[in-house]
Amino acid sequence: MHHMSPDEFRRHGRAVVDWIADYWEGLQHLPVTPGREPGATAALLPDTAPETGEPFDDLLADMDRVVVPGTVHWQHPGFLGYFPMTTSGPAVLAELLAAGLNTQGMLWSTSPAAAEIEARVSDWLAELMDLPESFRGNGVIQDTASTGVLLALIAARTRAERDGAGPYVVYTSEDGNACITKAARVLGIPDAHLRRVPVAAWTRAMDPADLAARIGADRAAGLTPLAVVATVGTTATTAVDPLDAIGVICREQGVWLHVDAAYAGVAAICPEMRWIHRGLDQADSYSTNPHKWLLTGLECSLTYFADPAPLHQAMRVTAAYLHDRGEARIDYQDWQIPLGKRFRALKLWFVLRAYGREGLQRHLREGIACAEELASWIEADERFELAAPHPFGLVCFRHRAGDGAGRELLARVNADRRLFLTSTESDGRFLLRIAAGGTATTSESLKAAWQRISQTADQVTTAADPV
Amino acid sequence: MHHMSPDEFRRHGRAVVDWIADYWEGLQHLPVTPGREPGATAALLPDTAPETGEPFDDLLADMDRVVVPGTVHWQHPGFLGYFPMTTSGPAVLAELLAAGLNTQGMLWSTSPAAAEIEARVSDWLAELMDLPESFRGNGVIQDTASTGVLLALIAARTRAERDGAGPYVVYTSEDGNACITKAARVLGIPDAHLRRVPVAAWTRAMDPADLAARIGADRAAGLTPLAVVATVGTTATTAVDPLDAIGVICREQGVWLHVDAAYAGVAAICPEMRWIHRGLDQADSYSTNPHKWLLTGLECSLTYFADPAPLHQAMRVTAAYLHDRGEARIDYQDWQIPLGKRFRALKLWFVLRAYGREGLQRHLREGIACAEELASWIEADERFELAAPHPFGLVCFRHRAGDGAGRELLARVNADRRLFLTSTESDGRFLLRIAAGGTATTSESLKAAWQRISQTADQVTTAADPV
């Protein structure tokens, strides 16, 4: 047995840094999705771990032999599916530093600098986004916005229990994220008590009148309306729910309002986008993921609480190994489910500093401008029609010949493996999605992508849907 | 705005690699804990993010100015508190590679290589530890063992609901981890329904007869015994609950058995330690954390299920963006709460290969041997007495003059900032803990540490407890 010495780490570390730089430089020449069948990667691996250690050079070589040919390249310029999950040099190197320090921040006392940097950068981001004052000082970094929703429901239940409460009901829109279903289930709230409120036809925004009616009906039926999860930028089409109207209803009804702005929230760093948060001052909690559009890499999700007391009440536990607490300290233990805590704040700190307000705004605006440009090409093509508003980096559109033609187009484009698009459904109809905003996706690469999609559309053989 | 170019990344990446190597090389000369007051790190940071981007060199310089002087150095040879959270060169560089790829493995189709490597290395670890056959093919990597307990309780509830169920009760020992309280609360199980089963005086192992009696009494009272969380290596003293006797009770009573082996489970890679898992074949789920003793760095926690079907039933959700599923694929989405999934398997793959079975065994045995050596010094010192068995890397001991003297000794040792110890309580009495097993903690460094502790004990002024 042999631990890698610092000098060996220097040597192998350089090789890894070069490997990543080479990977990024060569990414555009790789297929964006792998051609391997299920099981093909596993077939390259032995059934058991080796008896004796292998040289690091062999491990690194297997990145090219095993990993790269089996990977969907989320940083590829042709990756236009889902939402971009952006990263950056400063974020990647901050992850490296955090791994090297390998501290554990369950309490202030176990990692004081990490705790204070997390508190400070949470406030930096709140200021950049002009979040309501109530959220300042009350931010925490979690792995994903799925966890943010879960924590919000836990806090909501803790608050509701003060008054005694019946079976709980949670509300979100038809297009609210699947993680809301999961979070409700974790609390023991069955899918039947997760209300999917209808949305407006074009904007896909939640209908507040319908929400109010459902809350009233549920209360009359002896149920306890627990929480509304409104969305700023749905996964399907980036719809923005009307927070102002929803917030009024939640305040009147004493229902917790959580706002899931996982993808789109960071757009508010640009003042012209702050309309997305109109009414947010009425929310009890709010999540947004810098790891999607804000260059930090997975995982980095911020959740803010207007009043974190119910969360702390639910999460604070005592044990001999958690005793070293004190005033004027932030013990993130009380803000999360796991005891262990990685130093995720380091990469957010690095990214916010490396780009500055100006750089972040320019990056976000580039994504929005790319989407606008793309939308103009789609509008100018008589074979297609836009299917939803595109306030952020995502454009949803339809093949006018119908769903069959759209599905065929998607299959043909993706089969080529130079681009990767995803789809969604809206009112039972099939939509294609193109997500700009990735750091490798430029106006030029997007133009080339659209030309390819347009040419591929010429090959679509599916006849028009019967009218 | 300016994204770091690949060539800039090469340059800054080398600087970061060197920074980490320098940090590791110099670590022994730093104090292990910081001298800063709460707020002192925050005071070094501006109130807001900068308007324009800052050079990367300035960020890196702030590692030395802001971070290091405010950090508890978990990799320091004098860090003997909590449990070691070990990492290694291969793990750190795998984290760097994973950050550079920045893939997202919610489904097989979004990151096929990551999914297949995770499945394979989960089996590698199961084989290395000789885990029961039922767990093979059913492992998943989560952030921490706290999440493992939560998933186990979710799966247990899903299984229990098939038969209709009353208010749930969860059982663990007096020394079961605080994360069990948290997980139960998340499900809505109040602390009053978390039974803390008494433990034997010296071993601190759960009393199975008492467990059986409590389960019977709860059932008679109309409650539903949901799950027992047994521990292999408690956080307080590394007690090992008798899995065989507990397993028989759980099988008879139809109660889910989860085994929390967060710290100690990986010791079973050494055949002579496999006694810790006697009876594990009766367990429904099992967690262990390579990020503690097995060199992977935070976060890397394995959870295995004998039958993952109830977990999948609880976690599987549908959405347009989760549609691309298929047979012969592992969609880890169904194994976890968040939708997003980092490529944590990469570092486990690297570590298991870089060390091999032989290297892992040697590393674990060194930790155990260090603890044995330390225990012999403590036994030979008439001022102290051992306070619990030390089968792994942790030694718990007491000052014979009483709790006051023990507390004073701990405070004096830690005040010096060259060592960091933690304490616990057992039967209302104060114990000091010394945790070996860190990669920088050698037989020599531990000997020096003990000499320092022994010398510090000479300065203790607290009078013996009144008898």
Side-chain angles (χ1 to χ4, degrees):
Chain A
M1 196 256 321
H2 162 78
H3 293 302
M4 192 185 281
S5 71
D7 278 342
E8 288 169 318
F9 181 80
R10 287 178 212 273
R11 181 160 66 82
H12 296 310
R14 280 164 196 229
V16 168
V17 165
D18 282 337
W19 187 92
I20 293 172
D22 291 344
Y23 170 73
W24 287 346
E25 283 182 320
L27 205 39
Q28 59 186 310
H29 307 298
L30 292 177
V32 59
T33 48
R36 283 190 188 155
E37 291 300 306
T41 300
L44 300 173
L45 307 176
D47 287 338
T48 57
E51 290 301 311
T52 55
E54 298 178 39
F56 187 83
D57 293 335
D58 291 1
L59 307 190
L60 188 55
D62 272 357
M63 291 299 293
D64 293 312
R65 186 181 71 96
V66 178
V67 176
V68 167
T71 294
V72 174
H73 301 285
W74 285 67
Q75 308 310 314
H76 192 287
F79 185 95
L80 306 170
Y82 303 107
F83 286 129
M85 194 173 66
T86 56
T87 191
S88 59
V92 171
L93 295 177
E95 280 285 36
L96 173 55
L97 287 163
L101 289 170
N102 201 33
T103 58
Q104 204 272 57
M106 61 181 175
L107 299 174
W108 180 90
S109 62
T110 68
S111 207
E116 297 190 17
I117 290 171
E118 177 156 340
R120 184 54 60 99
V121 295
S122 298
D123 276 351
W124 281 10
L125 187 65
E127 191 275 335
L128 285 167
M129 297 170 64
D130 197 29
L131 292 184
E133 278 301 324
S134 55
F135 290 146
R136 309 293 170 94
N138 293 326
V140 57
I141 300 178
Q142 306 281 348
D143 51 0
T144 66
S146 307
T147 301
V149 170
L150 177 55
L151 291 182
L153 294 188
I154 291 168
R157 183 181 57 189
T158 305
R159 191 175 77 174
E161 279 169 353
R162 289 181 201 154
D163 312 317
Y168 295 117
V169 185
V170 173
Y171 306 81
T172 190
S173 90
E174 276 181 47
D175 288 352
N177 192 272
C179 74
I180 304 163
T181 307
K182 282 197 172 203
R185 285 186 195 165
V186 170
L187 268 72
I189 299 170
D191 292 5
H193 283 178
L194 176 63
R195 307 275 181 252
R196 293 277 179 180
V197 179
V199 297
W202 167 252
T203 64
R204 305 286 302 170
M206 191 195 290
D207 175 356
D210 190 279
L211 171 68
R214 278 168 201 254
I215 290 175
D218 285 331
R219 219 184 274 287
L223 302 171
T224 299
L226 178 66
V228 174
V229 181
T231 310
V232 170
T234 58
T235 307
T237 67
T238 65
V240 179
D241 289 336
L243 303 186
D244 41 6
I246 294 169
V248 169
I249 295 164
C250 289
R251 284 278 169 107
E252 282 174 3
Q253 296 284 337
V255 175
W256 187 285
L257 174 56
H258 177 72
V259 176
D260 174 12
Y263 159 66
V266 297
I269 292 173
C270 306
E272 69 275 18
M273 294 302 291
R274 300 228 169 111
W275 60 270
I276 64 176
H277 288 155
R278 203 174 293 139
L280 184 59
D281 54 329
Q282 299 173 104
D284 295 287
S285 53
Y286 172 88
S287 295
T288 192
N289 292 354
H291 70 233
K292 285 199 167 74
W293 201 357
L294 209 65
L295 304 160
T296 63
L298 196 65
E299 306 153 323
C300 185
S301 176
L302 272 287
T303 303
Y304 296 90
F305 291 82
D307 172 13
L311 178 69
H312 297 171
Q313 190 185 332
M315 291 291 103
R316 184 170 291 163
V317 287
T318 53
Y321 42 90
L322 297 173
H323 80 283
D324 190 3
R325 295 166 174 275
E327 293 302 313
R329 301 176 179 186
I330 299 167
D331 292 318
Y332 279 109
Q333 187 42 227
D334 304 337
W335 299 73
Q336 63 177 38
I337 295 170
L339 291 198
K341 187 176 178 75
R342 283 180 70 225
F343 190 6
R344 294 198 186 92
L346 189 68
K347 60 184 179 177
L348 184 58
W349 188 41
F350 270 34
V351 167
L352 298 185
R353 291 179 64 185
Y355 285 85
R357 187 191 310 267
E358 206 174 76
L360 298 170
Q361 287 176 342
R362 194 174 306 181
H363 164 66
L364 294 163
R365 284 171 181 150
E366 278 183 4
I368 295 168
C370 275
E372 281 170 0
E373 210 174 4
L374 172 64
S376 74
W377 301 328
I378 293 170
E379 280 191 301
D381 189 322
E382 58 185 12
R383 295 170 296 180
F384 302 111
E385 63 184 359
L386 292 176
H390 52 86
F392 308 107
L394 178 76
V395 181
C396 295
F397 64 106
R398 236 189 301 257
H399 200 298
R400 288 185 192 268
D403 291 357
R407 286 180 202 278
E408 186 190 335
L409 174 59
L410 179 71
R412 283 181 180 270
V413 168
N414 284 351
D416 184 61
R417 295 172 54 210
R418 278 181 281 195
L419 298 175
F420 177 67
L421 315 185
T422 53
S423 62
T424 189
E425 287 183 16
S426 169
D427 279 332
R429 294 183 63 188
F430 180 84
L431 311 187
L432 292 118
R433 298 167 78 260
I434 299 182
T439 53
T441 305
T442 61
S443 177
E444 293 68 40
S445 78
L446 200 60
K447 180 153 204 151
W450 181 251
Q451 281 169 350
R452 182 172 300 279
I453 294 165
S454 177
Q455 284 159 12
T456 308
D458 294 338
Q459 302 158 20
V460 166
T461 58
T462 305
D465 284 359
V467 181
Chain B
M1 196 255 322
H2 162 78
H3 293 302
M4 192 184 281
S5 71
D7 279 342
E8 289 169 317
F9 181 80
R10 286 178 213 273
R11 182 161 65 83
H12 297 309
R14 279 163 197 233
V16 168
V17 165
D18 282 337
W19 188 92
I20 293 172
D22 291 344
Y23 170 73
W24 288 344
E25 284 183 319
L27 205 39
Q28 59 185 308
H29 307 297
L30 291 176
V32 59
T33 48
R36 283 189 189 156
E37 290 299 306
T41 301
L44 299 174
L45 307 176
D47 288 339
T48 57
E51 290 302 312
T52 55
E54 298 178 39
F56 187 84
D57 293 336
D58 291 1
L59 307 189
L60 189 55
D62 273 357
M63 291 300 294
D64 293 311
R65 186 181 71 97
V66 178
V67 176
V68 166
T71 294
V72 174
H73 301 285
W74 284 66
Q75 308 310 313
H76 192 288
F79 184 95
L80 306 170
Y82 303 107
F83 286 129
M85 195 172 66
T86 57
T87 191
S88 59
V92 170
L93 295 178
E95 280 284 36
L96 174 56
L97 287 163
L101 290 170
N102 201 33
T103 57
Q104 204 273 57
M106 61 181 174
L107 298 174
W108 179 90
S109 62
T110 67
S111 206
E116 298 190 17
I117 290 171
E118 177 155 341
R120 184 54 60 97
V121 296
S122 298
D123 276 351
W124 281 10
L125 187 65
E127 190 275 336
L128 284 167
M129 296 170 67
D130 196 29
L131 293 184
E133 278 301 321
S134 55
F135 291 146
R136 309 294 170 93
N138 292 326
V140 58
I141 300 177
Q142 305 281 348
D143 52 0
T144 66
S146 307
T147 301
V149 170
L150 177 56
L151 291 182
L153 294 189
I154 291 169
R157 184 180 56 190
T158 305
R159 191 175 76 175
E161 278 170 352
R162 290 181 200 154
D163 313 316
Y168 294 117
V169 185
V170 174
Y171 307 80
T172 189
S173 90
E174 275 181 48
D175 289 352
N177 193 272
C179 74
I180 303 163
T181 306
K182 282 197 171 202
R185 285 186 195 165
V186 169
L187 267 72
I189 299 171
D191 292 4
H193 284 178
L194 176 63
R195 307 273 181 253
R196 292 278 179 180
V197 179
V199 297
W202 166 252
T203 64
R204 306 285 303 167
M206 191 194 290
D207 175 356
D210 190 278
L211 171 69
R214 278 168 201 255
I215 290 175
D218 285 332
R219 218 184 273 286
L223 303 171
T224 299
L226 178 66
V228 174
V229 182
T231 310
V232 171
T234 58
T235 307
T237 66
T238 65
V240 179
D241 289 336
L243 303 185
D244 40 6
I246 294 169
V248 169
I249 296 164
C250 288
R251 284 278 169 106
E252 282 175 4
Q253 296 284 337
V255 176
W256 188 284
L257 174 57
H258 177 71
V259 176
D260 174 12
Y263 159 66
V266 297
I269 292 174
C270 306
E272 69 274 19
M273 295 301 291
R274 299 228 169 110
W275 60 269
I276 64 175
H277 287 155
R278 202 175 293 139
L280 184 58
D281 55 329
Q282 300 172 104
D284 295 288
S285 52
Y286 172 89
S287 295
T288 192
N289 292 354
H291 69 233
K292 285 199 167 75
W293 201 357
L294 209 65
L295 305 160
T296 63
L298 196 66
E299 304 154 323
C300 186
S301 176
L302 273 286
T303 303
Y304 296 90
F305 292 82
D307 173 14
L311 178 69
H312 297 171
Q313 191 185 330
M315 291 290 102
R316 184 171 291 162
V317 288
T318 53
Y321 42 90
L322 296 173
H323 80 283
D324 190 2
R325 295 167 175 274
E327 292 302 313
R329 301 177 179 186
I330 299 167
D331 291 319
Y332 279 110
Q333 188 41 228
D334 304 336
W335 298 74
Q336 62 177 39
I337 294 170
L339 291 198
K341 186 175 178 76
R342 284 179 70 225
F343 190 6
R344 293 197 186 93
L346 190 67
K347 61 183 178 177
L348 184 58
W349 188 42
F350 270 34
V351 167
L352 297 185
R353 292 179 63 185
Y355 285 85
R357 188 191 309 267
E358 205 175 76
L360 298 170
Q361 287 176 344
R362 195 175 306 181
H363 163 67
L364 294 163
R365 285 171 181 150
E366 278 183 5
I368 294 168
C370 275
E372 281 170 1
E373 209 174 4
L374 172 64
S376 73
W377 301 329
I378 292 171
E379 280 192 301
D381 189 323
E382 59 186 11
R383 295 170 297 181
F384 303 111
E385 62 184 1
L386 291 177
H390 52 87
F392 307 107
L394 178 76
V395 180
C396 295
F397 64 106
R398 237 190 300 259
H399 199 299
R400 288 184 192 270
D403 292 357
R407 286 180 202 279
E408 185 189 335
L409 174 59
L410 179 72
R412 283 181 181 269
V413 168
N414 284 350
D416 185 61
R417 295 171 54 211
R418 278 181 280 194
L419 299 174
F420 177 67
L421 314 186
T422 53
S423 62
T424 189
E425 287 184 15
S426 170
D427 279 332
R429 294 182 63 187
F430 180 85
L431 310 189
L432 291 118
R433 297 167 79 259
I434 299 182
T439 53
T441 306
T442 61
S443 177
E444 293 68 41
S445 78
L446 200 61
K447 179 153 204 150
W450 180 250
Q451 281 169 350
R452 181 172 299 280
I453 293 166
S454 176
Q455 284 159 13
T456 308
D458 294 338
Q459 302 158 21
V460 166
T461 59
T462 304
D465 285 356
V467 181

